[in-house]
Amino acid sequence: KQWYQRRVRGLFSGTVLPYAGPTLAAEVSLLLLYALCEAIRLYLGNKGNLTEQPFPTVVFLLLTLPMTMAYVFTMLLQTYVLHLDAIMSYIGIGFCGLEFILGIVVLLQFSRSDIST
């Protein structure tokens, strides 16, 4: 969902704001890497939850750190940080934190169910 917002924001920034040539290319590359990492992370979280397997859940938890760093980059280190970027990044960091906590709870439940069977 935030991917669409970031894509629209990228189109707006790229056409309206004055970027140096390599700067815009670097930010678009990071945006695509962010989208790929987020898609993989969410897929593995969903797969781990539905199949109750610990490995996809652990990878989901490990990929939460790079996603949090991507939100911090979007919030603080971009060439142009719009207010919308900062707000969406705060929301994204909050969701990453919540997903991380719930992922640990789910992982503990999976390990308990493996011990009891």
Side-chain angles (χ1 to χ4, degrees), residues 61 96-106:
L61 291 173
C96 277
L98 183 64
E99 290 170 349
F100 188 79
I101 292 168
L102 292 175
I104 289 176
V105 169
V106 165

Side-chain angles (χ1 to χ4, degrees), residues 13-79:
S13 295
T15 56
V16 175
L17 300 173
Y19 276 95
T23 305
L24 181 61
E27 287 193 7
V28 168
S29 299
L30 286 173
L31 178 65
L32 293 175
L33 185 64
Y34 154 79
L36 180 66
C37 185
E38 179 72 1
I40 292 169
R41 184 180 80 91
L42 291 176
Y43 171 76
L44 288 173
N46 187 30
K47 181 180 178 183
N49 188 28
L50 292 177
T51 60
E52 296 185 3
Q53 294 178 347
F55 179 73
T57 307
V58 168
V59 176
F60 167 79
L61 291 173
L62 292 176
L63 286 176
T64 301
L65 179 63
M67 290 314 304
T68 304
M69 292 182 344
Y71 285 122
V72 170
F73 172 80
T74 303
M75 185 173 49
L76 301 174
L77 302 174
Q78 279 189 33
T79 304

Side-chain angles (χ1 to χ4, degrees), residues 108-117:
L108 291 173
Q109 289 294 327
F110 293 164
S111 64
R112 284 187 185 145
S113 68
D114 286 344
I115 293 172
S116 65
T117 55

